[in-house]
Amino acid sequence: MQTEKMIRIVLADDQPFIRKGLRYILDIQKDMQVIGEAMTGEEAVDITLRNVPDIVLMDIRMPGGTGIMATKSIAEALPNTKVVLLTTFDVEQYVFDGIRAGASGYLLKDTETDELLSGIRAMHRGATLFNSSTAKRALDQILTSGMQEPDSDSPGKDRLLGALTERETEVLQLLAYGKRNHDISAILCISEGTTKTHIHHIMQKLGAQDRTQAVVTAIRMKLVK
């Protein structure tokens, strides 16, 4: 099998038995390969920057810098490497902090193996992975509670805002509030077909493959209030 077709993965967890179990599950997959392991946040950053994997499975609580801090460093240096926060703790704040740091996914360690594997493959294709009920509640809370403040210095914000039309920005804001197509259509007095077209254009301009990824990008880039 050609290694360039493999999904290259780094495991970051301070518990050796967790890493060993994950490595066994991943390495027996025909399309996955674990190329490095780390037990601290600093090691996770160092190994990831040296090996440039496709995916990093990142524990949140580790010595030598948290997984959130490591995620931020990795996302800034390697924007094409996807970081999945893999944690025991079902905490909404971790979802918020992870998104702001640049994480593309959030999973619990008791996630079923099939869900983990399918999630990794989906992320490798460009999807996001915030499928837990906690993650979904956190996304709703982030956007309805005013936890995020506008920041004009966010990298790429001006470029993305310039790419979006005024109407697309309005649609994106309503998407972020969890509104469905028919709700958006009613609020903006446009047809559902026009709403779908705007959403399609938004996803294209943000490089998102689905609505959730568009909203996550909007949160990360502070395009919505």
Side-chain angles (χ1 to χ4, degrees):
M1 178 174 290
Q2 299 296 318
T3 55
E4 63 266 25
K5 294 182 179 179
M6 303 288 278
I7 303 174
R8 303 168 72 250
I9 302 168
V10 163
L11 303 177
D13 197 296
D14 62 339
Q15 299 181 60
F17 74 93
I18 294 289
R19 297 198 311 273
K20 183 177 181 180
L22 285 171
R23 181 160 202 150
Y24 174 78
I25 291 170
L26 299 174
D27 275 345
I28 63 174
Q29 307 303 311
K30 294 181 179 180
D31 58 345
M32 297 182 190
Q33 178 186 21
V34 175
I35 60 171
E37 297 183 27
M39 62 182 298
T40 71
E42 292 174 349
E43 285 184 359
V45 174
D46 181 60
I47 291 173
T48 299
L49 295 187
R50 283 192 286 109
N51 292 280
V52 193
D54 301 302
I55 306 285
V56 180
L57 296 184
M58 180 79 72
D59 189 18
I60 290 179
R61 294 188 178 182
M62 291 185 294
T66 67
I68 299 293
M69 295 169 60
T71 296
K72 187 174 188 298
S73 296
I74 291 168
E76 290 174 349
L78 299 172
N80 291 327
T81 293
K82 306 294 183 62
V83 179
V84 184
L85 296 176
L86 193 61
T87 179
T88 305
F89 305 98
D90 200 10
V91 180
E92 292 180 6
Q93 187 64 40
Y94 287 162
V95 181
F96 174 70
D97 291 341
I99 291 173
R100 292 293 297 272
S104 297
Y106 178 90
L107 284 175
L108 299 179
K109 288 182 179 178
D110 62 359
T111 297
E112 295 290 338
T113 299
D114 288 346
E115 183 180 351
L116 172 64
L117 296 174
S118 63
I120 289 173
R121 292 183 177 106
M123 284 189 60
H124 189 240
R125 294 192 298 269
T128 52
L129 193 61
F130 293 90
N131 294 336
S132 74
S133 58
T134 293
K136 291 176 181 177
R137 287 197 307 271
L139 288 172
D140 290 340
Q141 181 180 344
I142 288 167
L143 292 159
T144 59
S145 66
M147 292 173 66
Q148 178 179 319
E149 297 179 359
D151 181 354
S152 60
D153 295 327
S154 296
K157 178 181 179 181
D158 290 340
R159 176 182 60 79
L160 287 175
L161 283 176
L164 296 173
T165 66
E166 182 177 353
R167 179 63 87 190
E168 287 166 356
T169 302
E170 292 174 340
V171 171
L172 178 59
Q173 182 68 66
L174 292 172
L175 276 178
Y177 285 135
K179 301 298 184 182
R180 298 181 180 276
N181 287 3
H182 67 272
D183 298 319
I184 296 173
S185 300
I187 292 170
L188 298 181
C189 299
I190 57 179
S191 70
E192 286 199 39
T194 299
T195 296
K196 291 178 181 178
T197 298
H198 285 314
I199 293 172
H200 176 70
H201 289 162
I202 289 167
M203 290 192 297
Q204 282 186 321
K205 292 178 180 180
L206 297 185
Q209 293 200 356
D210 53 41
R211 297 162 68 106
T212 300
Q213 188 175 23
V215 171
V216 169
T217 299
I219 295 170
R220 188 178 301 151
M221 300 301 295
K222 301 180 183 178
L223 301 176
V224 293
K225 300 177 181 179

